[in-house]
Amino acid sequence: MGQDDLFGSSVNEPQAYDVAARAEWLRNELNRHSHAYYVLDNPSIPDAEYDQLFRELQELEAKHPELIVSDSPTQRVGGEPLPEFHQVRHEVPMLSINNGFSEEDIQNFDRRVREGLGNDHDIRYACELKFDGLAINLRYENGLLVQASTRGDGFTGEDVTVNIRTIRSIPLKLQTTTPPSLIEVRGEVLMFKSDFAKLNQRQRTANQKEFANPRNAAAGSLRQLDSRITAQRSLRFFAYGIGRLDGAPMPTRHSALLDWYQSLGIAVCAERTVVSGAQGLLDFYAVIGQRRTQLPYEIDGVVYKIDDIEQQKILGYVSRAPRFAIAHKFPAEEATTTVLDIEIQVGRTGALTPVARLAPVSVGGVTVTNATLHNEDEVRRKDIRLGDCVIVRRAGDVIPEVVANVPERRPDNAIEFVMPTACPVCGSPIVRLEEEAIARCSGGWLKCAAQRKGGLLHFVSRRAMDIEGLGEQLVEQLVDKGLVNTPADFYHLTLDTLSDLDRMAKKSAQNVLDALEKSKTTTLARFIYALGIRHVGESTAKSLAKHFGSLDALLASDEARVLEVADIGPVVALSILSFFSDPLNRQLIDQLRASGIHWEEGEPEQSNDLLAGKTFVLTGTLPTLSRDDARAMIEAAGGKVAGSVSKKTSYVVAGEEAGSKLTRAEELGVVILDEEQFLKLVESGS
Ligand code: IVH
C-alpha cells in the first residue's frame, strides 16, 4: 500500500510550476497537516514528509522573499530574543472564577443561580475541564492573529505574541472566508504530561534544572524572551472563553461558542458536554475524576458555566468573578511541607531507597507523612536536604514522591543528605554497581532482616503463594522472634506458636494454618514468581513455567535454553541461572516441595508460531508490560510489530495515553486489545 492510501491523497497539487501557487499550496498543506495533528489529534502525514514540505517552502521563500506572508508556517519562530515583554491592557478584563470543593458548594451554586434567574427549572450548564496551565488572550483582526497576551493581574498582561505564534495548535489565520473584524479568543496554554517528561529528560541530560510540574514548565516556556526556545517546548492550547467580538453575532450559547471555535480551526477540548441541574454537574465531576490520571494533560478540577449567554448576562459578576460559573476543584495532587528526616528503606532485593519523613500534609485527599526520593542520584539532583520545604506529589494510587525543593524557603540550617556506607538494618557493606542507580545492601537474605521480611512478604503475597492472613505485622513478628527465616519455615508453624503471638487468637491462628495448607496446591508460575528471583516478575514467571513445563526441566536448563523463552534477555537469564545455581536456593526449593507444595506439571513448550503472519502496532503505556516485553512476546510467537496502523494491521495493543494510532485503528476497524486481552492472545492464539 502506498502512502497515499494510508494518508489520503493530497489535494490540488499544481501541475505546472508556478512559484506563488506552489508556495500557497505548500502553506495550505502544512497548515492542514498541523491542524490534523495538533487540533484534531489525528495525524494525516508522517513527520518526515511534513518536514520535507516545510523545507521546500523555506527554500522557496528564501529565493522569493516577496512570497512570505505572516501566516506562513515558516513564520512561527521569531528572530532575535526580545529585550523585555511589553505590557498589554486588556479591553475586557480577564476575570477569575470562584471555587467549590464539596457537593454542597455545588448545590449552593446551583440554588443561587436559580434564585438569581427567578427560575424553578433545571438550568443547562456547559461543563468543561479546568486546565492547569496559563490563561491567554488571542486577538484576531480580520482572521489574522495579531496579538497574544498573558492574563497578568486580569487588567494588564504581557505581550507574548512571538512565543504564542510557535504553538502549532493555535492558528495564525482563522479557517473562514468571513472572519469577524475582531475576536479575542481566550483559553489555556499548557504542556502535555508526555512532553513535560521529555523536556525534563532533556534538561537532565543537559545538566539544567528540571521543572517541578507541567504548569511551571508551560509558564517558564511562555515567558522566554527567546522564542526559539519556546518553539522547542511543545506547548498546547485549548480555548474556553471570549473577550471582545466585533463584526459577527455572538453565539447564544457557550457550547455553541466552542463549536464555532472548532469550525474556525481553534483547538477546543473534546471533554466537554452540556448537562442539566446540579445532579448533572456532580455526575460530570465523578466521570472526569475517574479519568483524571488517564488524561494526557493535568487538570485541577472541572468548570461549570451557564450555557445560555442571556442568562449569563442577567447574573453578571460579583467582585472579579462571574456569578454564572464555578470551578469544582479536585483534591490537589501537590502540596508543600517540611522534610523532617531522610531515612533509608531496605527492599527485598536489598535495594536502598531514601524516604523523606514529612510533616503531615494532605495531598490528593490523603494525609501523607512519607514520600519516596527514589535513589541517591535523585536526592542529589533535586538537592533535597533535611529541613527543606518541598513539593510533594501524589497522583492517583501512585506512591507519594518529593518533586522539588522550594529554594526560597530553605532554612539556614538545612542538612545535606549522606548515603550510609553500611546497611542501616544489618550493618553489611553497601555496594553500588557503576551502571546502576540503585545502591544495595550486600548482606542478602541470611544476614539482613529487612531483605528477609521483604522476601517473605513477597512469597506470601496475593499474586505469589496467596497466603491470606500473613500480613506485614505478623511476618515482622515472626522474623523478629526468629520463628521464620525462610519461606520453608512458614510450613512448620504450629497452632501454639501462632496463637502465642501478639494480637493472635486461636481462631486467627487456625485461619493462617488453613491458608498455608490451601497454598500448597498452586501453579508452577506462582511458585517461580514467589521465589523472588531478581528481574522475574509475574509475566516472566508465567513464560518460564509455560516454556519448561516442569520445575525439574527449568532446574536442569542452561543459558541457551533460558534465552529461548519469549521475553527473556541476557540480564534476566543470568539472574535466573545464578539463583538456581545457589545451593541455599536449591535447598529451599527441596524443603518447600517436601512440605507438600505441588502443582500440575505440563509438557515443555514447542517453539511456537501462534502469531505467524500477524502484524501488531503498540501504542500508549501498558499497565505492566514494557514495549520491549510486548515486542519480544510477539516476535517469539512469530508475529511482527509495525510502527503505524494500516488496513493490514491485525491488532493494535493500546495502553494508557494511547493517541492517534488508536484513533486510526478505530477508523479502520482494526481489532484493539488491552494488555489482558493481548496476554490471552499470546498464550492461546485466539
Ligand atoms: S473560565 C470568566 N474555563 O482558571 C471566567 N477558566 O480562575 C474566566 N481555567 O485564570 C475563566 N480552565 O486560567 C475558565 N475551562 C476553563 C478553565 C479556566 C482553566 C483557569 C484560567 C483562569 C482560572 C480562573
Side-chain angles (χ1 to χ4, degrees):
M1 188 190 307
Q3 291 293 11
D4 278 0
D5 290 333
L6 266 177
F7 296 105
S9 50
S10 312
V11 281
N12 301 332
E13 186 160 5
Q15 297 301 315
Y17 198 75
D18 166 344
V19 209
R22 180 69 183 170
E24 190 187 348
W25 180 82
L26 285 167
R27 282 198 304 270
N28 288 339
E29 272 300 278
L30 287 165
N31 282 334
R32 187 166 71 86
H33 295 309
S34 264
H35 180 255
Y37 189 97
Y38 289 100
V39 179
L40 307 178
D41 193 18
N42 185 17
S44 47
I45 185 175
D47 288 356
E49 273 178 49
Y50 181 94
D51 295 342
Q52 204 182 333
L53 295 175
F54 191 87
R55 271 196 303 275
E56 186 187 340
L57 180 60
Q58 265 179 329
E59 282 161 20
L60 258 186
E61 289 177 342
K63 273 193 224 140
H64 306 275
E66 73 280 4
L67 295 178
I68 301 177
V69 290
S70 78
D71 63 309
S72 167
T74 60
Q75 303 303 299
R76 284 194 178 269
V77 182
E80 291 302 301
L82 300 173
E84 60 176 6
F85 295 115
H86 290 295
Q87 302 263 302
V88 178
R89 181 130 191 111
H90 299 304
E91 288 192 40
V92 181
M94 293 180 76
L95 301 171
S96 75
I97 197 166
N98 289 324
N99 291 327
F101 298 91
S102 63
E103 236 178 85
E104 203 192 345
D105 292 345
I106 301 311
Q107 259 140 5
N108 288 338
F109 161 75
D110 174 62
R111 188 177 36 74
R112 282 194 307 271
V113 163
R114 278 183 290 115
E115 282 168 7
L117 295 172
N119 195 336
D120 234 8
H121 302 293
D122 275 355
I123 306 291
R124 286 169 62 82
Y125 293 103
C127 303
E128 49 199 51
L129 306 183
K130 187 160 191 311
F131 307 104
D132 204 2
L134 301 90
I136 288 290
N137 185 62
L138 306 175
R139 192 178 164 99
Y140 288 90
E141 287 176 11
N142 300 312
L144 283 184
L145 177 65
V146 294
Q147 189 182 60
S149 48
T150 61
R151 175 168 180 268
D153 64 2
F155 299 98
T156 310
E158 284 177 327
D159 185 335
V160 288
T161 315
V162 278
N163 289 342
I164 286 292
R165 287 176 62 92
T166 68
I167 302 177
R168 281 164 63 178
S169 51
I170 297 181
L172 299 176
K173 187 179 172 187
L174 299 179
Q175 275 177 14
T176 170
T177 48
T178 53
S181 52
L182 170 65
I183 183 168
E184 289 184 326
V185 178
R186 288 179 174 177
E188 198 91 343
V189 166
L190 46 87
M191 191 179 281
F192 276 21
K193 294 179 206 168
S194 54
D195 291 323
F196 166 71
K198 280 184 219 151
L199 171 61
N200 265 355
Q201 182 64 52
R202 286 210 311 264
Q203 294 287 101
R204 243 194 321 270
T205 318
N207 255 325
Q208 303 257 346
K209 194 160 167 38
E210 289 172 53
F211 294 96
N213 51 45
R215 208 195 96 81
N216 288 4
S221 305
L222 203 58
R223 297 204 69 264
Q224 278 289 336
L225 289 167
D226 187 346
S227 63
R228 288 167 296 195
I229 298 181
T230 314
Q232 295 162 9
R233 293 285 176 84
S234 303
L235 294 172
R236 304 280 180 137
F237 174 82
F238 287 123
Y240 55 62
I242 188 161
R244 213 176 120 180
L245 173 66
D246 295 341
M250 178 70 181
T252 55
R253 298 190 163 274
H254 181 75
S255 50
L257 171 68
L258 298 189
D259 293 343
W260 184 37
Y261 279 165
Q262 189 160 30
S263 77
L264 293 174
I266 300 167
V268 279
C269 178
E271 314 288 336
R272 63 181 196 278
T273 184
V274 177
V275 302
S276 89
Q279 193 53 48
L281 300 178
L282 297 174
D283 292 345
F284 182 75
Y285 180 81
V287 169
I288 299 297
Q290 282 285 322
R291 306 200 24 216
R292 181 183 186 187
T293 52
Q294 287 154 37
L295 293 171
Y297 38 78
E298 295 204 334
I299 57 173
D300 54 358
V302 291
V303 178
Y304 314 135
K305 300 168 182 169
I306 298 184
D307 198 33
D308 187 316
I309 304 283
E310 269 312 307
Q311 291 182 334
Q312 287 193 0
K313 284 194 188 135
I314 296 170
L315 283 176
Y317 299 81
V318 59
S319 66
R320 305 190 52 190
R323 282 202 194 84
F324 56 78
I326 191 165
H328 193 179
K329 301 281 285 261
F330 292 133
E333 288 182 329
E334 287 185 358
T336 53
T337 184
T338 312
V339 176
L340 304 176
D341 197 3
I342 297 178
E343 287 174 10
I344 298 292
Q345 227 163 50
V346 186
R348 75 178 161 89
T349 61
L352 305 186
T353 310
V355 176
R357 303 272 171 244
L358 305 167
V361 62
S362 168
V363 195
V366 173
T367 302
V368 170
T369 50
N370 302 317
T372 180
L373 285 159
H374 300 291
N375 57 55
E376 191 183 358
D377 292 349
E378 193 89 351
V379 183
R380 195 133 306 138
R381 190 160 56 228
K382 292 179 176 165
D383 186 22
I384 308 293
R385 304 184 188 181
L386 275 77
D388 265 352
C389 173
V390 290
I391 302 172
V392 243
R393 183 181 170 79
R394 181 187 161 275
D397 294 331
V398 186
I399 306 170
E401 65 164 352
V402 176
V403 179
N405 70 39
V406 185
E408 311 84 71
R409 289 167 66 181
R410 165 167 290 166
D412 292 338
N413 58 356
I415 304 168
E416 234 174 296
F417 165 75
V418 200
M419 195 74 179
T421 52
C423 171
V425 177
C426 72
S428 301
I430 285 171
V431 287
R432 182 174 162 185
L433 299 180
E434 243 171 58
E435 66 275 20
E436 277 199 12
I438 307 285
R440 287 174 201 279
C441 160
S442 60
W445 269 74
L446 289 177
K447 292 203 198 93
C448 186
Q451 292 185 55
R452 216 148 50 229
K453 284 176 194 166
L456 291 167
L457 276 169
H458 172 77
F459 184 85
V460 302
S461 65
R462 198 168 52 82
R463 310 186 80 99
M465 299 303 285
D466 191 18
I467 306 172
E468 234 175 285
L470 270 176
E472 202 164 329
Q473 283 176 2
L474 192 54
V475 170
E476 189 131 311
Q477 273 193 74
L478 289 168
V479 172
D480 290 343
K481 299 206 159 110
L483 293 167
V484 170
N485 287 311
T486 82
D489 298 335
F490 282 132
Y491 293 94
H492 299 298
L493 289 170
T494 62
L495 193 62
D496 287 344
T497 338
L498 279 170
S499 18
D500 273 353
L501 296 171
D502 298 345
R503 278 187 282 181
M504 282 296 271
K506 268 247 151 54
K507 172 111 180 25
S508 35
Q510 186 56 51
N511 287 345
V512 171
L513 288 182
D514 292 347
L516 277 162
E517 198 52 40
K518 196 171 132 216
S519 75
K520 288 181 183 172
T521 307
T522 185
T523 64
L524 177 54
R526 274 180 181 274
F527 183 76
I528 296 172
Y529 174 62
L531 292 174
I533 307 167
R534 251 178 90 190
H535 304 304
V536 178
E538 231 184 331
S539 103
T540 306
K542 279 187 189 153
S543 308
L544 284 167
K546 200 159 148 258
H547 189 84
F548 289 99
S550 72
L551 184 62
D552 291 318
L554 172 59
L555 291 174
S557 74
D558 56 16
E559 188 176 356
R561 290 236 38 210
V562 175
L563 282 171
E564 277 171 18
V565 182
D567 51 351
I568 290 183
V571 176
V572 183
L574 184 66
S575 164
I576 294 168
L577 291 168
S578 69
F579 182 91
F580 288 125
S581 64
D582 183 332
L584 280 175
N585 291 333
R586 289 271 183 167
Q587 191 189 358
L588 171 66
I589 290 169
D590 290 344
Q591 288 168 341
L592 288 169
R593 283 209 276 198
S595 68
I597 295 179
H598 64 278
W599 51 83
E600 222 172 279
E601 302 220 301
E603 286 302 311
E605 194 177 46
Q606 303 302 317
S607 77
N608 85 50
D609 52 1
L610 219 52
L611 303 179
K614 301 272 191 265
T615 306
F616 289 73
V617 172
L618 306 169
T619 176
T621 314
L622 298 173
T624 66
L625 288 177
S626 72
R627 284 256 171 126
D628 288 344
D629 288 345
R631 171 186 290 271
M633 292 168 81
I634 293 164
E635 288 172 353
K640 277 209 207 90
V641 178
S644 62
V645 181
S646 74
K647 279 183 227 152
K648 289 199 182 143
T649 310
S650 326
Y651 302 100
V652 166
V653 185
E656 227 177 75
E657 289 185 21
S660 57
K661 289 181 191 168
L662 181 58
T663 324
R664 185 82 189 136
E666 283 164 353
E667 281 167 11
L668 292 175
V670 174
V671 181
I672 298 163
L673 305 175
D674 62 16
E675 182 181 284
E676 198 178 319
Q677 294 164 324
F678 167 70
L679 288 171
K680 242 191 224 150
L681 176 76
V682 176
E683 272 165 31
S684 66
S686 64

